[in-house]
C-alpha cells in the first residue's frame, strides 16, 4: 500500500504542473475500442522548431486539432508471466482522475510500420485503477511524463509528443497510407523508430541513474 501512496502522490503532483489546456473528449480524438490492431510510425525530431514546422504544415493542409494534454504513463510488471509478451500501461490524463488502461501484444513490422494488437479502456478514476492493479499483483516498473498534441489529417492521427528525452512525431492509421503520409510531412519512413516510448523511457532512466551514480548529481527533469 505504501508503493500505491507514493505513486498517487506523484499523480497528484502532476495536477499542479504543466497544462496544455482542456483535453478534447477521448471519443472525439479516437474512439476507445475493444481489441483492435494499431499501426504506427514514430519519429524523433531534433528540436521544438521541428514541431513548429509540422504544426504550420498541418494547419495549411486543413488538419483538425483534436486535443492537447499531459500524460503520466505507468508501465507495469507481473504478476507471473502476465506481462512477458503483453505490455500493460496506465495513462493518467492531465493529472486525473480520468485515464486510459492499455494492453498491447508483441510487435511485428511491415517495412518500418509497427503493428500490434491493442486493447484499451477508459477509466473514470485512474487512482482507483492503480490501486486495483496493485492489489492484483501488478507493480509499477517505471513511469514517465509526456506532453501530447493530437491532430487528424485525412483519417491519420498525428501526434506531436514531448518527453524528457526528446521531441517526437507519431502517425497512426492504415498501414498502406502511413509511409506516404510521413513523406508528405517531410519524414522519411526508413528512419522510423522501432522502440516504444516506454522502452525509450526505461533506457533514459537507466542512463540517468548511471550518470547520477558517477557524478553524484541527480539529473534535472527536461519537462515539468
Amino acid at each position: 500500500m505504501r508503493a500505491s501512496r507514493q505513486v498517487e502522490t506523484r499523480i497528484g503532483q502532476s495536477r499542479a504542473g504543466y497544462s496544455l489546456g482542456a483535453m478534447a473528449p477521448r471519443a472525439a480524438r479516437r474512439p476507445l475500442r475493444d481489441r483492435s490492431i494499431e499501426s504506427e510510425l514514430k519519429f524523433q525530431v531534433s528540436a521544438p522548431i521541428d514541431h513548429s514546422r509540422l504544426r504550420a504544415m498541418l494547419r495549411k493542409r486543413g488538419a483538425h486539432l483534436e486535443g492537447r494534454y499531459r500524460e503520466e504513463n505507468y508501465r507495469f510488471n507481473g504478476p507471473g508471466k502476465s506481462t512477458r509478451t503483453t505490455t500493460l500501461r496506465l495513462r493518467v490524463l492531465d493529472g486525473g482522475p480520468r485515464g486510459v488502461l492499455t494492453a498491447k501484444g508483441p510487435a511485428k513490422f511491415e517495412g518500418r510500420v509497427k503493428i500490434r494488437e491493442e486493447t484499451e479502456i477508459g477509466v473514470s478514476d485512474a487512482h482507483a485503477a492503480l490501486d486495483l492493479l496493485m492489489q492484483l499483483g501488478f507493480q509499477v516498473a517505471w513511469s514517465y511524463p509526456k506532453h501530447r498534441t493530437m491532430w487528424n489529417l485525412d483519417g491519420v492521427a498525428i501526434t506531436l509528443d514531448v518527453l524528457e528525452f526528446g521531441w517526437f512525431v507519431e502517425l497512426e492509421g492504415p498501414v498502406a497510407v502511413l509511409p506516404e503520409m510521413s513523406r508528405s510531412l517531410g519524414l522519411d519512413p526508413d528512419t522510423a523508430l522501432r522502440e516504444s516510448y516506454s522502452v525509450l523511457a526505461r533506457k533514459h532512466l537507466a542512463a540517468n541513474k548511471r550518470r547520477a551514480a558517477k557524478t553524484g548529481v541527480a539529473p534535472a527533469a527536461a519537462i515539468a
Side-chain angles (χ1 to χ4, degrees):
M1 199 63 178
R2 182 179 301 170
S4 175
R5 291 196 188 97
Q6 289 173 344
V7 176
E8 282 199 26
T9 298
R10 294 188 61 186
I11 294 175
Q13 288 172 344
S14 70
R15 287 198 183 98
Y18 182 90
S19 175
L20 279 170
M23 187 193 74
R26 178 76 181 179
R29 303 200 314 278
R30 188 182 63 182
L32 286 177
R33 300 159 295 188
D34 196 351
R35 186 168 296 180
S36 63
I37 301 298
E38 174 193 64
S39 305
E40 68 174 34
L41 285 172
K42 181 187 284 94
F43 303 89
Q44 184 166 10
V45 295
S46 300
I49 193 170
D50 296 303
H51 275 184
S52 297
R53 177 185 63 81
L54 284 162
R55 279 194 297 270
M57 190 179 301
L58 289 167
R59 291 190 185 101
K60 186 175 181 179
R61 293 177 60 176
H64 178 61
L65 175 61
E66 297 193 332
R68 298 185 178 98
Y69 55 98
R70 174 190 168 96
E71 295 178 358
E72 189 69 29
N73 292 260
Y74 295 90
R75 174 71 180 268
F76 294 90
N77 281 342
K81 299 179 180 180
S82 59
T83 54
R84 180 166 293 181
T85 59
T86 299
T87 64
L88 184 65
R89 182 167 51 107
L90 176 66
R91 291 179 287 154
V92 182
L93 306 177
D94 282 335
R98 290 182 297 168
V100 179
L101 184 63
T102 306
K104 295 187 179 186
K108 64 177 183 179
F109 291 85
E110 287 191 20
R112 300 294 291 192
V113 178
K114 181 187 287 188
I115 303 168
R116 289 191 290 183
E117 187 176 81
E118 176 187 70
T119 304
E120 60 181 15
I121 58 170
V123 294
S124 59
D125 190 335
H127 309 84
L130 178 63
D131 276 342
L132 177 62
L133 288 167
M134 297 184 76
Q135 288 177 42
L136 291 172
F138 292 90
Q139 297 295 323
V140 176
W142 65 91
S143 65
Y144 56 96
K146 177 171 64 183
H147 298 157
R148 167 162 283 189
T149 305
M150 194 164 189
W151 299 76
N152 190 287
L153 177 62
D154 298 332
V156 175
I158 301 170
T159 62
L160 308 181
D161 298 326
V162 182
L163 292 94
E164 291 181 340
F165 43 89
W167 298 270
F168 298 84
V169 183
E170 191 173 273
L171 284 69
E172 183 177 339
V175 176
V177 306
L178 290 179
E180 185 55 38
M181 176 64 80
S182 68
R183 291 188 190 96
S184 74
L185 296 171
L187 302 166
D188 182 355
D190 290 336
T191 66
L193 302 175
R194 295 175 68 91
E195 295 174 310
S196 66
Y197 284 136
S198 61
V199 170
L200 293 170
R202 182 183 62 190
K203 291 182 176 181
H204 173 72
L205 292 168
N208 278 350
K209 187 175 181 180
R210 291 193 298 269
R211 192 177 303 114
K214 186 176 181 179
T215 64
V217 178
I223 56 177

